[in-house]
Amino acid sequence: MKFSALSSLLLSPFKWLRKIRGFRLVYTPLLAIVLFTSVMGVILGTLHLQEKTQQESALFRELSFAKQRIQLRFVNNFDALTTINREIVASEEQVKLKQIAYEQANDLVFNNHEFIKIIALNEKSQVQWTAPPHDPKADSPRKNPNEQLINVGLAGAIELSRTTSRAAFSPFISLNTSEDDPLANERKVVFWQVVPNIAGGEIVGYLAALYTAQGVLEVIPAELKAHYRFTLLTDNEKVLAISSDRGMPKRAFSNQTSLDIGVLSPNLTLQIDTYPPPTNLTFRMLIGVVIGLCAFVVWSLWSVLRQMQVRQEAEANLRTETSFRNAMENSTPIGIRAHDMQKRITYVNRAFCDMTGWSPKELIGLSPPFPFWPDDRREELGEKMNRALKSEIVSKAGIEGAILRRDGTLIQTRTFIAPLIDEKGRQTGWVTSLIDISEPKKIREELAASQERFITVLEGLDAAVSVVDLETDELLFANRFYRENFGNDSKGHFRLAGDSNNIETLHDIAEDLHESPPGIPTSFLYQESESEEIQLDDINQWYEVRRRFIPWVDGHLAQLLIATDITMRKEADELARQQEERMQFTSRLTTMGEMASSLAHELNQPLSAISNYCMGVAKRLDGHIDPALNKEILPALEKASEQAHRAATIIQRIRGFVKRSEPQRKSICITEIINDAVGLVEIEADRHRLSISSDLAENLPEVNIDPVLILQVLVNLLKNALDSVREAYPLSSRWSAPPVKISADLDTSTFPAMLRIRLRDAGGGIPDTVIERMFEPFFSTKSDGMGMGLNICRSVIESHHGRLWASNIMDAEQTKLTGCTFTILLPLESPDSKEQVE
């Protein structure tokens, strides 16, 4: 029977087409089959091309990665050889540094497979040492006939490096290796890299590294070499090294790129080949599945065609019944919808669609929560629906709910639910009817929304807003800022109101208005007072306060107060005032410095004249007066001349200290600077009956510093030490006060050694809270201090790459501070000078 049906279909295709002409739904699956077959063909072809493109992209990416690894290895090797060269230059007088350079070369050969050996040569190309010394890996080329080729390549690379004063490479050297040698394949092609050792602009030696071409490929990760074959080629496509001898299939992908391993290096090319799978079984299976699906769909369409006639007759009867039901349901303004046992919507009438603004196609099949439920009430409406569906008693009052129309309009509804029973008495779902009740609630919702907006604005203010009843002192309203800062009572309101508007005054105003005729005068209300700045001492906060009287909703008189926090503005004003005072103080100091410089210049000449006159008078009197008188007059004249010269020296130091020029480093002995600093401060020490003692080590090396800046630091620290001793000892007992000690020596506990200067006083020490902040700018414990002295001192020392710190001195029982020590560490050689030497 099946055979006859298939035969009739094949013999009369036009008859079959006429039969299905009335079933237009059949055309769509047929067209879908054709489109599906075409699209799958295009997709399969695109996937094949995409796979090929991805393989080529992956091949290029892996080739770039391998190239980057190889070039980075050569850069690192060049840096390592350059570092060893520096150690060799520095090891001419130190055996330990020479040993370090040799060990670094050994480690470099041991850790890098591309190296065979490293040779150190002097400026005459004579071998100094070889690393490793007795390794068969390194000695293998020397024990075969290829030694002459290797030496010729080395000589050529050395000559090229000597000519260009740069690192150079030799040509590739092909060695004749024995098959019995296990390292023959690895050492088949080698080449030299020569790095000149330049010191003082001249070549003092060379460092030569022997590379293997096969070792260069060892830089590439093993996981890449497992999937790809890498080959090193020369310009003429000569193979230098290959990562695998495995044969390549015909469909393999290949790519290559040039390698840049150095400026004077031979041209080198890196080639990569891939191993694609021999067959693509997935692709063929996919084609078979597509063809099978197409055949199955054609057979299914023929089966469906035979049932469509019966279905059309049933549909005609259903249309008649459905039209009558729709006409009846659409005539009512009540929205109706039906649900199945899973709460999915199975039917909606036109009135319900008008309520929601959604079409029946969009609504049928939806499950709770429904899209026409408001977002903020979905949980509430869902719980109400669940309770109503589970209840066996039908509620006559209905359930109050809401619907959100598609255009955003909210409709308040009342819903009535009844179970849906089929012909067998089984419940198949529920039927719900909805009535629009939004109009009665519209006015109440608008009022609530208006109040909510007003509260939201007040809660978002960064100012305290409060309203207090003047009769009961009750806090009627307070926003978020007020509650967070003053609590939930009216105490904060009256604190902000100030002394002129205390509680008694407000009560008097309320009583006067209460005794007056009914109604509060309009002129009295809404009159805002001038803003006042109120400071709350307990929390150290400043507020700008504005007040006014307003009638409350119950008719009572209330006071509205708005307080804005202006603490930050006050602090900024105070900081600006302090900065202005410091600037004025700095200006006065500058003026005093200029006056001191001018005064020093004016006094220097009279003092020089006094010294010259005294010495001239002494020479004239020498031998012309009585010897007894000569012993009395001449020493006095010499002492007067000496004191005048000393005064001129002190004035000259003051002038040099005040007249600051651009920082200029020079090599100077620290003893001279310390003596100058002591000489400048001794005048003030004598005036306060104090003394300064120096303990300077002999043969201190000269340091490269700015003498004026270091002098400024020492003078400042000496003055601070004198002030500390002067505060600890009263004037009557300063004769017993220990002197301020300044010492200078070498600190050998650090490497390299540094120059150490220590200033020690016997004052009262520095409290821990002060010693942590004493070097901060504008921090001072003196009432007339600017707080910049110690900060400038530390900046000066750190600009010399040194360190400055303070530490307290405790007594023997460790119970009392007996003084303080300031320590300065200065490098013996500045970093600038080191860079110039290198």
Side-chain angles (χ1 to χ4, degrees), residues 319-340:
R319 289 193 199 98
T320 303
E321 295 180 3
T322 303
S323 299
F324 175 76
R325 188 183 65 178
N326 290 338
M328 184 174 58
E329 292 176 354
N330 292 334
S331 63
T332 177
I334 300 175
I336 301 175
R337 71 172 184 261
H339 300 266
D340 59 11

Side-chain angles (χ1 to χ4, degrees), residues 243-288:
S243 62
S244 175
D245 295 333
R246 178 180 172 186
M248 299 299 298
K250 295 181 180 180
R251 293 184 295 128
F253 295 100
S254 178
N255 200 346
Q256 64 182 11
T257 183
S258 60
L259 285 176
D260 182 14
I261 61 175
V263 179
L264 301 176
S265 63
N267 295 330
L268 192 61
T269 302
L270 178 63
Q271 179 176 326
I272 184 172
D273 301 292
T274 185
Y275 299 95
T279 59
N280 195 342
L281 183 60
T282 304
F283 183 79
R284 295 183 179 181
M285 290 180 62
L286 187 59
I287 294 177

Side-chain angles (χ1 to χ4, degrees), residues 356-387:
T356 59
W358 297 70
S359 64
K361 293 182 180 180
E362 295 172 330
L363 292 173
I364 294 175
L366 296 178
S367 300
F370 300 116
F372 50 79
W373 283 355
D375 294 337
D376 56 346
R377 298 186 61 183
R378 287 191 175 185
E379 295 183 1
E380 174 193 350
L381 296 177
E383 293 178 358
K384 288 183 178 180
M385 181 177 181
N386 293 333
R387 289 196 301 268

Side-chain angles (χ1 to χ4, degrees), residues 87 93 117 174 352 364 381 451 454 576 592 695 700 733 758 760 770 797:
E87 297 291 343
E93 297 180 358
K117 62 180 179 179
S174 299
F352 184 80
I364 294 175
L381 296 177
Q451 181 180 5
F454 177 72
M592 291 298 296
D695 183 13
L700 290 176
S733 60
R758 287 184 289 190
R760 185 173 303 173
V770 176
I797 297 302

Side-chain angles (χ1 to χ4, degrees), residues 315 722 757 827:
E315 288 179 351
L722 291 175
I757 304 173

Side-chain angles (χ1 to χ4, degrees), residues 72 82 216 264 276 365 429 452 470 511 540 558 656 704 709:
L72 181 61
T82 303
V216 173
L264 301 176
E452 183 178 357
L470 296 183
E511 291 178 358
N540 195 20
N704 189 20
L709 289 178

Side-chain angles (χ1 to χ4, degrees), residues 556-577:
H556 289 82
L557 181 64
Q559 185 185 45
L560 170 66
L561 185 142
I562 302 175
T564 306
D565 190 353
I566 59 171
T567 305
M568 295 183 63
R569 188 181 72 187
K570 282 289 187 178
E571 292 176 352
D573 294 342
E574 179 64 20
L575 182 60
R577 185 188 62 79

